[in-house]
Amino acid sequence: MTNLAGKIAYKPISLGLGAAAGALSGLIFKQIWTRAAHDQHTPTATDEHRGWGEVLAAAALQGAIFALVKAAISRGGATGIRKATGRWPT
């Protein structure tokens, strides 16, 4: 399989893994926020009843969790592709 063909073949898999990472990281964030803040409702940027610190802390935590989960899922997917095809996806 050529490099271009490999990229084209991996693209749908990559998109699916990204969607799964987004969904999973959202669930993880909600669980962590609920336990840490003892609050079922996560703050949003436009929530007028939340302070800057709480909104920014929630956003930073959510971003960190998303990046970690996305990297783990993407790395696992790439490893699986290499095991299946013998080539690392690029």
Side-chain angles (χ1 to χ4, degrees), residues 12 24 31 48 58 78 81:
L24 181 60
Q31 287 295 315
E48 69 178 322
I81 292 295

Side-chain angles (χ1 to χ4, degrees), residues 34-52:
T34 298
R35 290 182 180 156
H38 305 291
D39 187 354
Q40 296 262 334
H41 304 287
T42 57
T44 62
T46 57
D47 189 345
E48 69 178 322
H49 303 293
R50 307 286 182 138
W52 277 87

Side-chain angles (χ1 to χ4, degrees), residues 17-18 20-36 42 56-74:
L17 292 174
L24 181 60
S25 65
L27 293 172
I28 292 169
F29 169 71
K30 286 183 184 211
Q31 287 295 315
I32 291 173
W33 187 263
T34 298
R35 290 182 180 156
T42 57
L56 296 180
L61 177 62
Q62 189 173 23
I65 290 169
F66 176 75
L68 178 83
V69 171
K70 185 173 185 321
I73 289 177
S74 293

